[in-house]
Amino acid sequence: GGNLGEFLKFKNATLTTCSNNNQGWEIEAASINIDENTSRGLIKDMKLKILNKEILSLPYLPFPATTKRLSGFLEPELNFTSDGLDLFLPYFWVLSDNSDITIAPRILNDRGAGLEGNFRYLTKIKSTNYLDVLFFPEDKLFKKDFASNKDHRWAFRLKENRQILNFTTHVDWAKSSDSMVLLDLPSSLTNIANQRDHYLNQTFSVNLLSNNLSLNISREGYQSLNPFINNG
């Protein structure tokens, strides 16, 4: 119901993978309200069912109903993997005209729960920079398969270009708790490394450019993502 261009309301809405809920997943809601004047939406009494079993229930879920940069929950991401159900619930937060952050609680059925984040920002030279973080306080499969004593798994990457007076700096620095974490926990939100990368960059450089002088200082290093090769 509602008026097109002003307000829309959908009652008893459902979204499913197939006609038989016993063989797939289903999202249902008592109502979905969209205010086109404010470009905001609100889902009431949302339930997520897998193989016809309820695994998640939220009384309210606000979301931006536009392609513009507005703070709010984004569309949940649901995947079926070899480690079971993989669920993201991302929240997008606009900090300023030049920066924003996305925070996404993540549930991976056979491994546990974690958190991922993506912070994007512009610098004076109009460079798109970001800081990506992945953190799982406990990975049940990793401890079981590798008899590891690690309590948590994590990874991050900072990529930035900046200019201060006659100096320009470049940073591409990434690090992970172990060489397998980005292979075991691939993500569509963070851009730390893909499953085929063999190493993480750990580089930093400072450049000075003036009328009569040019100077460059840099440090280049790597962290191996191959468990059979020592870190260099």
Side-chain angles (χ1 to χ4, degrees), residues 39-228:
S39 299
R40 299 284 183 175
L42 179 64
I43 301 176
K44 294 184 178 180
D45 194 19
M46 189 191 84
K47 293 180 172 60
L48 171 63
K49 296 181 180 179
I50 305 293
L51 303 179
N52 215 26
K53 293 182 180 180
E54 184 178 318
I55 66 168
L56 179 66
S57 178
L58 296 173
Y60 299 99
L61 181 64
F63 64 95
T66 178
T67 56
K68 297 179 181 179
R69 295 174 70 246
L70 292 178
S71 298
F73 283 98
L74 303 179
E75 180 181 352
E77 182 178 328
L78 182 66
N79 299 295
F80 290 98
T81 72
S82 58
D83 295 324
L85 172 71
D86 190 0
L87 174 65
F88 282 89
L89 187 61
Y91 182 83
F92 181 70
W93 183 14
V94 177
L95 301 176
S96 69
D97 291 340
N98 295 325
S99 62
D100 55 58
I101 186 171
T102 304
I103 300 174
R106 182 181 180 185
I107 300 173
L108 190 52
N109 189 64
D110 293 344
R111 292 188 178 273
L115 186 70
E116 299 191 16
N118 167 245
F119 173 44
R120 303 185 302 176
Y121 57 100
L122 294 176
T123 51
K124 290 183 179 180
I125 56 176
K126 302 300 181 182
S127 170
T128 301
N129 313 288
Y130 65 85
L131 171 64
D132 283 355
V133 178
L134 178 153
F135 178 71
F136 267 67
E138 183 179 8
D139 185 336
K140 295 178 289 186
L141 276 184
F142 187 69
K143 295 185 72 171
K144 177 183 176 182
D145 293 343
F146 294 93
S148 172
N149 294 323
K150 290 183 180 293
D151 294 326
H152 49 263
R153 305 183 78 189
W154 52 267
F156 73 85
R157 182 181 183 182
L158 172 64
K159 192 169 185 179
E160 177 188 275
N161 293 287
R162 189 178 293 274
Q163 182 173 2
I164 304 173
L165 299 177
N166 292 331
F167 292 91
T168 60
T169 62
H170 169 73
V171 179
D172 188 359
W173 196 285
K175 190 173 179 61
S176 65
S177 59
D178 58 87
S179 60
M180 299 289 290
V181 60
L182 297 171
L183 182 65
D184 293 340
L185 300 169
S187 170
S188 61
L189 173 65
T190 57
N191 185 29
I192 301 172
N194 62 52
Q195 291 179 300
R196 295 186 178 183
D197 286 342
H198 296 294
Y199 56 85
L200 295 175
N201 283 323
Q202 294 180 343
T203 62
F204 172 81
S205 66
V206 179
N207 299 278
L208 170 62
L209 182 61
S210 64
N211 293 332
N212 301 314
L213 177 66
S214 176
L215 177 66
N216 175 270
I217 300 174
S218 63
R219 187 269 188 193
E220 184 174 340
Y222 305 92
Q223 178 183 347
S224 171
L225 294 179
N226 187 329
F228 303 103

